[in-house]
Amino acid sequence: QVQLVESGGGLVQAGGSLRLSCAASGRTLSGYLMGWFRQAPGKEREFVGTITWNTGTTYYANFVKDRFTISRDNAKNTVYLQMISLKSEDTAVYYCVAGAAVFSPPPLGPSYYPYWGQGTQVTVSS
């Protein structure tokens, strides 16, 4: 069992930056695929990107376009989502996820990932 707790969300102006954190506990993340999804009001959950815990290999949704970066700190058992040049359309609840196997490319559907955090709200004002 893996527990995920996100933090770092908030209100930011368009063009600004935020860094979200996802602290994992419960077991070692070796061999896990960690990632981020987001859900805007009235929309389905949307894949943002993933990072392979062992190798640090990342994969991003097309809309990210070099604005978002996923990283991890093995010692802290934490995954990060650094976001820059934020736009109003980035407003959403952001979720940290974990899956117990690695695929390349990673699954884009939320149903593959059994572990989810509670989400953190990101609001970008224009």
Side-chain angles (χ1 to χ4, degrees), residues 8-39:
L11 175 63
V12 63
Q13 289 188 334
S17 302
L18 275 177
R19 189 179 79 159
L20 307 183
S21 300
C22 171
S25 62
R27 59 156 294 153
T28 177
L29 296 178
S30 177
Y32 270 64
L33 182 66
M34 308 296 295
W36 293 89
F37 277 75
R38 70 183 188 181
Q39 187 168 23

Side-chain angles (χ1 to χ4, degrees):
Q1 193 76 0
V2 176
Q3 292 80 43
L4 304 171
V5 178
E6 303 98 334
S7 61
L11 175 63
V12 63
Q13 289 188 334
S17 302
L18 275 177
R19 189 179 79 159
L20 307 183
S21 300
C22 171
S25 62
R27 59 156 294 153
T28 177
L29 296 178
S30 177
Y32 270 64
L33 182 66
M34 308 296 295
W36 293 89
F37 277 75
R38 70 183 188 181
Q39 187 168 23
K43 295 188 177 181
E44 295 185 351
R45 290 189 178 184
E46 178 179 40
F47 175 87
V48 174
T50 58
I51 186 166
T52 302
W53 187 261
N54 288 10
T55 65
T57 302
T58 54
Y59 184 93
Y60 298 99
N62 289 336
F63 72 82
V64 168
K65 294 182 180 179
D66 299 326
R67 297 187 300 122
F68 294 2
T69 302
I70 299 175
S71 61
R72 88 267 194 245
D73 185 326
N74 295 49
K76 295 182 179 180
N77 240 30
T78 299
V79 175
Y80 302 98
L81 176 63
Q82 176 70 52
M83 304 183 290
I84 65 171
S85 302
L86 284 163
K87 307 174 184 179
S88 57
E89 51 263 45
D90 293 318
T91 295
V93 177
Y94 284 72
Y95 296 92
C96 178
V97 300
V102 175
F103 297 93
S104 181
L108 305 185
S111 61
Y112 165 76
Y113 302 90
Y115 303 110
W116 289 71
Q118 82 286 354
T120 186
Q121 176 71 47
V122 172
T123 302
V124 183
S125 63
S126 56

